[in-house]
Amino acid sequence: MTDFAATKSLFHIPEGVIYLDGNSLGVLPKTAANRAKEMIEQEWGEMLIRGWNDAKWMEQPERVGNLVARLIGAAPGTVVMGDTLSIKVYQALASAVEMRPDRKVIVSDNGNFPTDLYMADGLIKSLDRGHVLKTPNPEDVESLINEDLAVLMLTQVDYRTGRMHDMKRLTDLAHAAGALVIWDLAHSAGAVPVDLTGCNADFAVGCTYKYLNGGPGAPAFIYVHPDHAKSARPALSGWLGHAAPFAFDPDYTPAPDVSRMRVGTPPVIQMTVLEEAMKAWDGVDMADIRKRSIELCEQFIAGVEANCPMLELASPRNPQERGSQVSFKFDQGYAVMQALIAHGVIGDFRAPDVIRFGFTPLYIDKGDVDGAVKILAEIMETRAWDKPEFHKRNAVT
Ligand SMILES: *Cc1c(COP(=O)(O)O)cnc(C)c1O
């Protein structure tokens, strides 16, 4: 059994804050600052260029990839870190599209995070070969899986509602139709159990600053099925994805494995903080995370529905169809979230009317949920949200 009191003690949570936004930006691991200082002073400061060998910065993207792999059901050597999630989406999609040269349809859904759709659109324009991107409602994806489909590109857990796709079923259906599948695990890695190997996914991507607590701008990850890793052509053919970067060969030969998805020099400081953050997952079982996450979400939904009848549940009621977040709709959701934040409960707002709460069992417990419900109930009952300062829009919501 995972010891959640022990995992909670690994993180810094500001005094007076109940943090229900770990699905957007995870909290700070207590040891991260020291590790960053040590890396900067001892490795960068003292080793200088020797750090690439002596501190093993060069293989860090694969080393950290293996830590992430364990949480998403991927075998060692199938995941590599680097760049941002938007870039990894582009790479995965470019490779997958090229593997189905006779097909022109890419299917995602209209609940996908916009950057995934923007990257697909940009790729289609660059290719200029007549590809189309279709974005049905999430529940209608299946109806577009047919012999025209080149690539199914979905985010498993909808960032707005928390609705979760059935990865295994959709992957099987797409494969039966001869298509490839890319899963975006932005709201899955560290949030719900994922079995990439078991569902035979072709590609997967995700970020590490959400449930994995790697800090703002932490590098993304990409998984490539071992059968494709030897053959998929990386569209971004950077030198660190080369089979022998230090041969300085003028011709590009990709690495024989997932390392071909590396592009350029990795952000070593940020990667080191992420590597430190991943220690919190030592001995943590994703099945325990899931069980606890469902308990916390159910407790929150019950509390909010009992106390705030004006809020409408925007997430699936069935916990099996929901990720590790709960959303409610309210016309004045933006102001409600600002009032909540002013009262120490941090969640976030997604236009047009969704207030969103992430539940991260590593550091959120039942007492936090009770506290959050109580404060939300009071804000709704007293209309404390209806003040001019809570209606003023910030750039980041
Ligand atoms: C958070 C998120 C992103 C963010 O992409 P970045 O390049 O890291 O800014 C992309 N896609 C999904 C589905 C997300 O949830």
Side-chain angles (χ1 to χ4, degrees):
M1 251 329 259
T2 304
D3 180 351
F4 287 112
T7 60
K8 185 169 186 165
S9 73
L10 299 175
F11 294 97
H12 169 73
I13 299 173
E15 196 58 39
V17 165
I18 298 176
Y19 193 68
L20 303 182
D21 211 7
N23 52 325
S24 250
L25 176 66
V27 297
L28 173 71
K30 283 178 183 163
T31 56
N34 270 341
R35 179 66 189 109
K37 184 174 189 306
E38 177 188 71
M39 183 272 153
I40 290 169
E41 291 178 356
Q42 306 302 317
E43 298 183 14
W44 178 13
E46 297 300 322
M47 294 180 186
L48 291 169
I49 194 79
R50 295 169 290 188
W52 289 102
N53 291 318
D54 296 353
K56 304 204 175 349
W57 298 340
M58 192 47 96
E59 48 273 48
Q60 196 177 26
E62 285 83 6
R63 190 166 69 239
V64 178
N66 285 336
L67 302 176
V68 174
R70 180 179 81 79
L71 303 183
I72 55 176
T78 61
V79 175
V80 71
M81 313 303 297
D83 315 295
T84 73
L85 176 50
S86 302
I87 289 176
K88 283 348 215 185
V89 166
Y90 187 92
Q91 281 187 292
L93 187 59
S95 293
V97 162
E98 193 171 293
M99 290 163 68
R100 288 294 177 272
D102 302 330
R103 297 186 179 203
K104 294 286 173 340
V105 177
I106 299 165
V107 169
S108 187
D109 69 46
N110 61 18
N112 204 346
F113 193 79
T115 200
D116 295 42
L117 304 178
Y118 301 160
M119 294 311 277
D121 185 56
L123 174 66
I124 288 170
K125 291 195 167 104
S126 297
L127 290 174
D128 196 20
R129 288 181 42 225
H131 287 93
V132 290
L133 172 65
K134 297 188 178 174
T135 53
N137 291 329
E139 55 279 17
D140 298 332
V141 163
E142 272 189 47
S143 66
L144 292 178
I145 298 180
N146 55 41
E147 310 286 309
D148 295 329
L149 178 65
V151 182
L152 179 62
M153 180 187 84
L154 295 170
T155 296
Q156 187 194 13
V157 177
D158 187 304
Y159 76 102
R160 233 191 251 118
T161 63
R163 180 189 183 280
M164 189 158 63
H165 280 298
D166 184 338
M167 259 178 88
K168 173 92 173 98
R169 178 180 165 78
L170 290 171
T171 305
D172 285 348
L173 286 171
H175 283 168
L180 294 169
V181 185
I182 300 170
W183 286 104
D184 187 328
L185 304 178
H187 295 277
S188 307
V192 296
V194 174
D195 184 9
L196 285 178
T197 306
C199 72
N200 212 20
D202 299 291
F203 296 86
V205 293
C207 49
T208 60
Y209 48 81
K210 292 172 180 165
Y211 291 88
L212 301 182
N213 312 303
F221 65 84
I222 183 165
Y223 163 88
V224 183
H225 190 291
D227 288 351
H228 306 323
K230 306 183 271 300
S231 54
R233 196 182 67 83
L236 303 177
S237 37
W239 75 302
L240 287 187
H242 194 282
F246 284 85
F248 296 106
D249 186 341
D251 295 321
Y252 179 73
T253 308
D257 52 25
V258 73
S259 295
R260 64 178 52 202
M261 292 299 174
R262 289 179 64 164
V263 183
T265 305
V268 181
I269 299 173
Q270 185 83 65
M271 193 86 74
T272 299
V273 171
L274 171 62
E275 189 167 14
E276 185 67 20
M278 289 305 295
K279 289 185 181 166
W281 296 94
D282 285 351
V284 172
D285 183 344
M286 283 308 299
D288 295 341
I289 290 276
R290 180 64 173 155
K291 181 166 174 285
R292 176 85 153 191
S293 152
I294 289 175
E295 285 166 11
L296 297 173
C297 291
E298 292 290 275
Q299 182 193 346
F300 187 70
I301 292 172
V304 172
E305 291 194 325
N307 293 285
C308 314
M310 58 299 265
L311 299 182
E312 181 197 341
L313 184 66
S315 298
R317 188 167 293 282
N318 177 356
Q320 304 309 328
E321 294 168 14
R322 198 171 62 216
S324 200
Q325 65 172 73
V326 174
S327 303
F328 285 93
K329 282 189 190 184
F330 185 64
D331 263 6
Q332 298 295 324
Y334 181 80
V336 168
M337 186 48 71
Q338 297 314 300
L340 270 172
I341 293 170
H343 289 83
V345 178
I346 302 183
D348 60 23
F349 171 78
R350 288 295 175 261
D353 58 358
V354 168
I355 51 175
R356 194 173 72 145
F357 304 89
F359 294 87
T360 46
L362 282 191
Y363 54 84
I364 292 298
D365 58 26
K366 293 186 172 190
D368 296 322
V369 174
D370 274 342
V373 168
K374 199 158 157 258
I375 293 170
L376 176 57
E378 193 166 311
I379 285 171
M380 296 313 297
E381 195 178 306
T382 60
R383 292 177 63 91
W385 53 267
D386 200 7
K387 292 191 182 140
E389 69 259 38
F390 297 142
H391 291 282
K392 208 176 110 262
R393 293 271 169 141
N394 293 317
V396 175
T397 64

